[in-house]
Amino acid sequence: MTASATQQYARLNLLPRRPAPGFDAEGWRLLFASGVFTSALQSQTAIRTAAMHLREMGAGGADRGLLFAAGAHYFGCLIPLVRHGSTEQIDFFLPSMRMGDMIGCLAITEAEGGASQAGVRTRVTTGAEGFRLTGTKLFVTNALQAGVALVLASEFPQRGSLGLSALLVPLSSPGISVLPLENHGLAGAPGGILQFDDVQLSPNCRLGNPGSGLAVMLSALQAERTAILAGFIGAAEFDLSRCFHHLKSRFAAVRDSSGEIPQVLRHRLAEIRCSLAAADAVLERGLTATETSDDSLMWPAIVKKCISETVVSVADRIHGIYAGNGWLNRNESASAVLDTRAVLAASGTSEVMLNMVWSQLSRTLVPIEHTCP
Ligand SMILES: Cc1cc2nc3c(=O)[nH]c(=O)nc-3n(C[C@H](O)[C@H](O)[C@H](O)COP(=O)(O)OP(=O)(O)OC[C@H]3O[C@@H](n4cnc5c(N)ncnc54)[C@H](O)[C@@H]3O)c2cc1C
């Protein structure tokens, strides 16, 4: 599909439904019927193709919650499956997941915080018949709808973060409880709690090697942090366009004036254009990094921080421009504020992204002799 055909498809099928149904099963079906992820997975540029598709869906007005839920499925679960899965695992999960019939989720965060892998208390042990899993994961996007979770668990606790393993856990397994969370914002991407109570798992449920959970998680987060918010840049473009047309008709109606948008507001819209253009450029740079390097730390963190902060700021500024109409949620401008704020924490906060960037900083500096004044 061309960019404009994708936007048109979204405009016809994927606008937010009101009242918000929570997870939008019909929107999900229509999103996958567009072939968004099937074609993406066939290409060498699996992350870029999907990100650009989501961006155009957003620009067509698709619901941010739906785009976020789809991104959590694709970048957080499907991409790691394709990158790290055995032939048997890929043959089993891929056909239904690529069509969206089986939904995936990524379960990392625990009560001790999502920021640190040192906080992983979920424990997996090996036995004669396979694995046993015990622990609790919080804030898991898609948990309520998912058929499978990619779970980060501690297999060799004495090795710390190098003793983590990644597991593909069918959520119909006995011993698993799924509890809803009441989220405020991103209604279309409900979160949940996954509780594992001595869950028996088959011997071939480990994704990657024993103790390679950190690498699998970083590869999932590389894709997720780089690309999951592409749809939000598109959605901000849609909001900017609606705001512009709102102001055009608002001031055209004012008698005894030129009928033009006042200069101060023109500049505010132009500032938003600059912010979105910069976010687009950073997205592009991050996508290139996923294709040309194995950097799973710096560029994903820069992209996540930049885009999440930009879409929050743009939503806030547009809401302010609407003034009283913003309070009335004109053109979903108040919903956009809540929806975008949610993604400041998703996939890690800006502080944690800055820790990632700092960890790579010395490696990225231009070389200067340290005797240089
Ligand atoms: C919409 C949404 C969707 C989500 N989806 C998922 C999902 O699908 N799967 C999943 O596993 N998790 C998910 N999460 C959880 C998300 O990854 C965590 O919220 C995030 O990593 C932050 O963890 P926390 O909320 O536990 O905050 P904490 O780790 O408790 O942090 C609290 C505060 O301390 C700061 N902080 C913590 N550690 C440091 C540090 N080392 N340096 C500097 N500052 C620090 C943080 O920036 C924050 O301000 C989701 C969250 C949201 C909001």
Side-chain angles (χ1 to χ4, degrees):
M1 264 202 252
T2 62
S4 66
T6 307
Q7 290 179 20
Q8 186 63 19
Y9 185 85
R11 188 105 76 250
L12 290 174
N13 298 298
L14 305 176
L15 295 181
R17 288 169 219 280
R18 295 293 178 250
F23 177 75
D24 178 3
E26 178 62 0
W28 183 271
R29 189 186 69 71
L30 290 165
L31 181 67
F32 280 80
S34 74
V36 47
F37 297 136
T38 317
S39 57
L41 274 174
Q42 283 159 356
S43 71
Q44 292 301 306
T45 52
I47 297 174
R48 174 187 295 277
T49 309
M52 287 305 155
H53 206 93
L54 292 177
R55 190 194 178 290
E56 298 315 328
M57 293 278 186
D63 177 46
R64 285 180 177 82
L66 180 64
L67 297 177
F68 188 81
H73 163 83
Y74 183 83
F75 301 114
C77 198
L78 200 43
I79 290 279
L81 168 73
V82 171
R83 281 180 172 174
H84 301 279
S86 63
T87 309
E88 193 186 355
Q89 288 169 331
I90 292 175
D91 287 348
F92 184 79
F93 287 109
L94 188 61
S96 54
M97 286 184 76
R98 75 187 329 163
M99 302 308 294
D101 296 333
M102 180 187 278
I103 298 178
C105 60
L106 175 64
I108 299 174
T109 306
E110 300 192 5
E112 308 241 337
S116 151
Q117 291 80 51
V120 174
R121 298 279 176 266
T122 297
R123 187 83 169 87
V124 61
T125 51
T126 325
E129 298 131 42
F131 297 100
R132 301 200 85 89
L133 180 67
T134 296
T136 301
K137 296 290 183 180
L138 305 176
F139 298 122
V140 181
T141 304
N142 294 339
L144 307 174
Q145 292 74 34
V148 61
L150 174 52
V151 177
L152 189 68
S154 172
E155 185 170 2
F156 311 102
Q158 65 285 5
R159 294 194 215 158
S161 61
L162 297 179
L164 299 171
S165 292
L167 308 166
L168 283 169
V169 179
L171 292 179
S172 56
S173 312
I176 299 180
S177 312
V178 185
L179 309 172
L181 284 170
E182 192 185 326
N183 43 329
H184 298 270
L186 283 187
I193 300 172
L194 293 177
Q195 285 179 342
F196 306 105
D197 184 10
D198 197 24
V199 177
Q200 170 80 56
L201 297 169
S202 80
N204 54 7
C205 75
R206 198 197 275 113
L207 189 63
N209 295 321
S212 69
L214 184 61
V216 174
M217 185 196 77
L218 285 175
S219 120
L221 290 177
Q222 180 208 39
E224 193 175 277
R225 288 176 177 159
T226 303
I228 199 169
L229 298 182
F232 284 56
I233 299 181
E237 289 284 355
F238 184 65
D239 290 346
L240 175 60
S241 181
R242 287 199 293 187
C243 185
F244 171 80
H245 291 292
H246 167 80
L247 292 177
K248 285 280 274 186
S249 55
R250 159 77 179 77
F251 288 100
V254 177
R255 262 184 286 142
D256 305 329
S257 82
S258 66
E260 297 288 333
I261 298 173
Q263 178 69 20
V264 64
L265 293 181
R266 285 187 223 167
H267 274 191
R268 286 214 235 165
L269 297 185
E271 287 280 6
I272 291 171
R273 159 59 60 241
C274 295
S275 302
L276 290 176
D280 254 333
V282 170
L283 171 65
E284 173 56 35
R285 180 65 184 80
L287 290 172
T288 301
T290 65
E291 291 156 5
T292 57
S293 75
D294 56 6
D295 167 31
S296 57
L297 298 174
M298 193 183 78
W299 274 104
I302 291 174
V303 177
K304 161 68 192 16
K305 180 177 181 301
C306 167
I307 299 182
S308 60
E309 292 178 359
T310 299
V311 296
V312 166
S313 153
V314 167
D316 210 39
R317 283 182 273 168
I318 288 179
H319 183 246
I321 290 172
Y322 279 110
N325 279 303
W327 186 50
L328 302 181
N329 200 20
R330 169 66 71 94
N331 287 337
E332 303 274 330
S333 54
S335 304
V337 171
L338 263 189
D339 284 354
T340 52
R341 287 207 75 81
V343 300
L344 284 177
S347 293
T349 60
S350 286
E351 288 79 24
V352 171
M353 297 308 106
L354 288 173
N355 287 345
M356 301 281 158
V357 175
W358 167 252
S359 75
Q360 303 301 303
L361 189 70
S362 60
R363 195 174 65 72
T364 62
L365 298 172
V366 293
I368 306 177
E369 288 80 49
H370 52 258
T371 50
C372 189

Short mmCIF file of all heavy atoms in Angstrom, two decimals, residues 1 6 9-15 17 23-37 53 57 66 70 99-101:
data_model
loop_
_atom_site.label_atom_id
_atom_site.label_comp_id
_atom_site.label_asym_id
_atom_site.label_seq_id
_atom_site.Cartn_x
_atom_site.Cartn_y
_atom_site.Cartn_z
N MET A 1 0.84 -1.20 0.00
CA MET A 1 0.00 0.00 0.00
C MET A 1 0.88 1.25 0.00
O MET A 1 1.86 1.29 0.74
CB MET A 1 -0.87 0.03 1.25
CG MET A 1 -2.28 -0.51 1.07
SD MET A 1 -3.41 0.11 2.34
CE MET A 1 -3.67 -1.32 3.33
N THR A 6 -2.58 3.90 2.71
CA THR A 6 -2.58 3.45 4.11
C THR A 6 -3.33 4.45 4.98
O THR A 6 -4.14 4.07 5.85
CB THR A 6 -1.13 3.29 4.63
OG1 THR A 6 -0.43 2.45 3.73
CG2 THR A 6 -1.10 2.69 6.01
N TYR A 9 -6.98 4.07 4.38
CA TYR A 9 -7.48 2.83 5.00
C TYR A 9 -7.73 3.08 6.50
O TYR A 9 -8.75 2.68 7.06
CB TYR A 9 -6.45 1.71 4.82
CG TYR A 9 -6.92 0.37 5.32
CD1 TYR A 9 -7.69 -0.46 4.52
CD2 TYR A 9 -6.61 -0.07 6.62
CE1 TYR A 9 -8.13 -1.70 4.99
CE2 TYR A 9 -7.04 -1.30 7.08
CZ TYR A 9 -7.80 -2.11 6.26
OH TYR A 9 -8.24 -3.33 6.73
N ALA A 10 -6.76 3.77 7.13
CA ALA A 10 -6.90 4.06 8.55
C ALA A 10 -8.10 4.97 8.80
O ALA A 10 -8.87 4.79 9.75
CB ALA A 10 -5.62 4.69 9.08
N ARG A 11 -8.25 5.98 7.92
CA ARG A 11 -9.34 6.95 8.09
C ARG A 11 -10.70 6.24 8.04
O ARG A 11 -11.63 6.57 8.75
CB ARG A 11 -9.25 8.01 6.99
CG ARG A 11 -10.18 9.15 7.16
CD ARG A 11 -9.49 10.43 7.63
NE ARG A 11 -8.75 11.13 6.62
CZ ARG A 11 -7.42 11.21 6.58
NH1 ARG A 11 -6.69 10.61 7.49
NH2 ARG A 11 -6.81 11.90 5.65
N LEU A 12 -10.78 5.23 7.18
CA LEU A 12 -12.05 4.52 7.02
C LEU A 12 -12.30 3.51 8.13
O LEU A 12 -13.45 3.23 8.48
CB LEU A 12 -12.07 3.79 5.67
CG LEU A 12 -12.17 4.67 4.43
CD1 LEU A 12 -12.02 3.84 3.16
CD2 LEU A 12 -13.50 5.42 4.42
N ASN A 13 -11.21 2.92 8.66
CA ASN A 13 -11.39 1.73 9.51
C ASN A 13 -10.88 1.82 10.93
O ASN A 13 -11.31 1.05 11.79
CB ASN A 13 -10.68 0.52 8.86
CG ASN A 13 -11.24 0.19 7.50
OD1 ASN A 13 -12.42 -0.15 7.39
ND2 ASN A 13 -10.41 0.29 6.47
N LEU A 14 -9.92 2.72 11.20
CA LEU A 14 -9.17 2.58 12.45
C LEU A 14 -9.25 3.78 13.37
O LEU A 14 -8.46 3.90 14.32
CB LEU A 14 -7.69 2.28 12.13
CG LEU A 14 -7.43 1.06 11.23
CD1 LEU A 14 -5.95 0.93 10.91
CD2 LEU A 14 -7.96 -0.21 11.87
N LEU A 15 -10.17 4.70 13.12
CA LEU A 15 -10.32 5.84 14.02
C LEU A 15 -10.72 5.34 15.41
O LEU A 15 -11.32 4.26 15.53
CB LEU A 15 -11.41 6.79 13.50
CG LEU A 15 -11.14 7.49 12.16
CD1 LEU A 15 -12.31 8.41 11.81
CD2 LEU A 15 -9.85 8.28 12.18
N ARG A 17 -12.74 4.40 18.50
CA ARG A 17 -14.19 4.19 18.66
C ARG A 17 -14.62 4.82 19.97
O ARG A 17 -13.91 4.73 20.97
CB ARG A 17 -14.50 2.68 18.66
CG ARG A 17 -14.34 2.08 17.28
CD ARG A 17 -14.38 0.56 17.30
NE ARG A 17 -13.41 0.05 16.35
CZ ARG A 17 -13.61 -0.03 15.04
NH1 ARG A 17 -14.76 0.32 14.52
NH2 ARG A 17 -12.66 -0.49 14.24
N PHE A 23 -9.66 -2.72 24.54
CA PHE A 23 -9.01 -3.34 23.38
C PHE A 23 -10.03 -3.41 22.24
O PHE A 23 -11.15 -3.90 22.41
CB PHE A 23 -8.53 -4.74 23.75
CG PHE A 23 -7.91 -5.46 22.58
CD1 PHE A 23 -6.65 -5.11 22.13
CD2 PHE A 23 -8.60 -6.47 21.92
CE1 PHE A 23 -6.08 -5.77 21.05
CE2 PHE A 23 -8.04 -7.13 20.84
CZ PHE A 23 -6.78 -6.77 20.40
N ASP A 24 -9.64 -2.92 21.07
CA ASP A 24 -10.56 -2.81 19.93
C ASP A 24 -10.36 -4.03 19.01
O ASP A 24 -9.52 -4.00 18.09
CB ASP A 24 -10.26 -1.49 19.19
CG ASP A 24 -11.13 -1.31 17.96
OD1 ASP A 24 -12.00 -2.16 17.69
OD2 ASP A 24 -10.91 -0.29 17.26
N ALA A 25 -11.13 -5.08 19.28
CA ALA A 25 -10.94 -6.34 18.54
C ALA A 25 -11.21 -6.16 17.05
O ALA A 25 -10.51 -6.71 16.20
CB ALA A 25 -11.85 -7.42 19.12
N GLU A 26 -12.22 -5.35 16.72
CA GLU A 26 -12.55 -5.14 15.30
C GLU A 26 -11.44 -4.31 14.62
O GLU A 26 -11.03 -4.61 13.50
CB GLU A 26 -13.91 -4.43 15.21
CG GLU A 26 -14.37 -4.09 13.81
CD GLU A 26 -14.57 -5.31 12.90
OE1 GLU A 26 -14.36 -6.45 13.34
OE2 GLU A 26 -14.91 -5.09 11.72
N GLY A 27 -10.95 -3.29 15.34
CA GLY A 27 -9.84 -2.50 14.79
C GLY A 27 -8.61 -3.38 14.59
O GLY A 27 -7.91 -3.26 13.59
N TRP A 28 -8.35 -4.26 15.55
CA TRP A 28 -7.20 -5.19 15.44
C TRP A 28 -7.33 -6.05 14.19
O TRP A 28 -6.39 -6.21 13.42
CB TRP A 28 -7.16 -6.06 16.70
CG TRP A 28 -6.00 -7.00 16.78
CD1 TRP A 28 -5.94 -8.28 16.29
CD2 TRP A 28 -4.73 -6.75 17.38
NE1 TRP A 28 -4.72 -8.84 16.56
CE2 TRP A 28 -3.96 -7.93 17.23
CE3 TRP A 28 -4.16 -5.66 18.04
CZ2 TRP A 28 -2.64 -8.03 17.71
CZ3 TRP A 28 -2.86 -5.77 18.52
CH2 TRP A 28 -2.12 -6.94 18.35
N ARG A 29 -8.55 -6.59 13.98
CA ARG A 29 -8.77 -7.44 12.81
C ARG A 29 -8.52 -6.66 11.52
O ARG A 29 -7.84 -7.13 10.60
CB ARG A 29 -10.22 -7.97 12.84
CG ARG A 29 -10.53 -9.04 11.81
CD ARG A 29 -12.00 -9.41 11.80
NE ARG A 29 -12.88 -8.35 11.29
CZ ARG A 29 -12.96 -7.96 10.04
NH1 ARG A 29 -12.21 -8.54 9.12
NH2 ARG A 29 -13.78 -6.98 9.68
N LEU A 30 -9.04 -5.44 11.49
CA LEU A 30 -8.88 -4.63 10.27
C LEU A 30 -7.43 -4.18 10.06
O LEU A 30 -6.96 -4.09 8.93
CB LEU A 30 -9.82 -3.41 10.34
CG LEU A 30 -11.30 -3.75 10.22
CD1 LEU A 30 -12.17 -2.58 10.66
CD2 LEU A 30 -11.63 -4.16 8.78
N LEU A 31 -6.74 -3.90 11.17
CA LEU A 31 -5.33 -3.52 11.06
C LEU A 31 -4.52 -4.66 10.43
O LEU A 31 -3.72 -4.44 9.50
CB LEU A 31 -4.78 -3.19 12.46
CG LEU A 31 -3.32 -2.75 12.53
CD1 LEU A 31 -3.12 -1.40 11.85
CD2 LEU A 31 -2.87 -2.64 13.98
N PHE A 32 -4.75 -5.87 10.91
CA PHE A 32 -3.99 -7.01 10.37
C PHE A 32 -4.46 -7.37 8.97
O PHE A 32 -3.67 -7.87 8.16
CB PHE A 32 -4.06 -8.21 11.33
CG PHE A 32 -3.09 -8.07 12.46
CD1 PHE A 32 -3.37 -7.26 13.55
CD2 PHE A 32 -1.84 -8.67 12.40
CE1 PHE A 32 -2.46 -7.07 14.57
CE2 PHE A 32 -0.92 -8.50 13.42
CZ PHE A 32 -1.24 -7.70 14.51
N ALA A 33 -5.74 -7.14 8.66
CA ALA A 33 -6.24 -7.43 7.31
C ALA A 33 -5.55 -6.55 6.28
O ALA A 33 -5.51 -6.88 5.09
CB ALA A 33 -7.76 -7.21 7.27
N SER A 34 -4.98 -5.43 6.72
CA SER A 34 -4.26 -4.55 5.78
C SER A 34 -2.93 -5.18 5.35
O SER A 34 -2.26 -4.66 4.48
CB SER A 34 -4.00 -3.19 6.43
OG SER A 34 -2.96 -3.31 7.39
N GLY A 35 -2.54 -6.29 6.00
CA GLY A 35 -1.28 -6.97 5.65
C GLY A 35 -0.07 -6.30 6.25
O GLY A 35 1.06 -6.59 5.87
N VAL A 36 -0.31 -5.41 7.22
CA VAL A 36 0.76 -4.58 7.76
C VAL A 36 1.99 -5.37 8.14
O VAL A 36 3.11 -5.05 7.73
CB VAL A 36 0.24 -3.73 8.95
CG1 VAL A 36 -0.56 -4.52 9.94
CG2 VAL A 36 1.35 -3.02 9.67
N PHE A 37 1.82 -6.45 8.89
CA PHE A 37 2.99 -7.14 9.42
C PHE A 37 3.41 -8.32 8.57
O PHE A 37 4.55 -8.74 8.63
CB PHE A 37 2.72 -7.57 10.86
CG PHE A 37 2.49 -6.39 11.76
CD1 PHE A 37 1.46 -6.39 12.69
CD2 PHE A 37 3.30 -5.27 11.69
CE1 PHE A 37 1.26 -5.30 13.52
CE2 PHE A 37 3.11 -4.18 12.52
CZ PHE A 37 2.08 -4.20 13.43
N HIS A 53 4.63 1.78 8.19
CA HIS A 53 3.22 1.47 8.01
C HIS A 53 2.40 2.03 9.20
O HIS A 53 1.36 2.67 9.00
CB HIS A 53 3.06 -0.05 7.93
CG HIS A 53 1.86 -0.49 7.18
ND1 HIS A 53 1.88 -0.78 5.84
CD2 HIS A 53 0.59 -0.68 7.59
CE1 HIS A 53 0.68 -1.14 5.46
NE2 HIS A 53 -0.12 -1.08 6.50
N MET A 57 -0.55 4.86 9.28
CA MET A 57 -1.83 4.57 9.94
C MET A 57 -2.17 5.69 10.93
O MET A 57 -3.31 6.17 10.99
CB MET A 57 -1.76 3.24 10.71
CG MET A 57 -1.61 2.02 9.85
SD MET A 57 -3.21 1.50 9.22
CE MET A 57 -2.80 -0.02 8.40
N LEU A 66 -4.61 1.37 19.70
CA LEU A 66 -4.54 0.24 18.77
C LEU A 66 -3.13 0.11 18.19
O LEU A 66 -2.57 -0.99 18.11
CB LEU A 66 -5.57 0.44 17.65
CG LEU A 66 -5.65 -0.65 16.59
CD1 LEU A 66 -6.09 -1.98 17.19
CD2 LEU A 66 -6.62 -0.23 15.48
N ALA A 70 -0.58 -3.04 18.79
CA ALA A 70 -0.01 -3.77 17.65
C ALA A 70 1.51 -3.72 17.69
O ALA A 70 2.18 -4.72 17.40
CB ALA A 70 -0.53 -3.16 16.34
N MET A 99 -0.57 -13.05 11.46
CA MET A 99 -1.91 -12.64 11.03
C MET A 99 -2.68 -11.95 12.15
O MET A 99 -3.82 -11.54 11.97
CB MET A 99 -2.72 -13.86 10.56
CG MET A 99 -2.08 -14.66 9.43
SD MET A 99 -1.65 -13.63 8.02
CE MET A 99 -3.27 -13.14 7.48
N GLY A 100 -2.08 -11.89 13.33
CA GLY A 100 -2.76 -11.26 14.47
C GLY A 100 -3.77 -12.17 15.12
O GLY A 100 -4.50 -11.74 16.03
N ASP A 101 -3.85 -13.45 14.69
CA ASP A 101 -4.83 -14.36 15.30
C ASP A 101 -4.40 -14.74 16.71
O ASP A 101 -5.23 -14.88 17.60
CB ASP A 101 -4.99 -15.64 14.45
CG ASP A 101 -5.56 -15.30 13.09
OD1 ASP A 101 -6.28 -14.29 12.98
OD2 ASP A 101 -5.27 -16.04 12.12
#
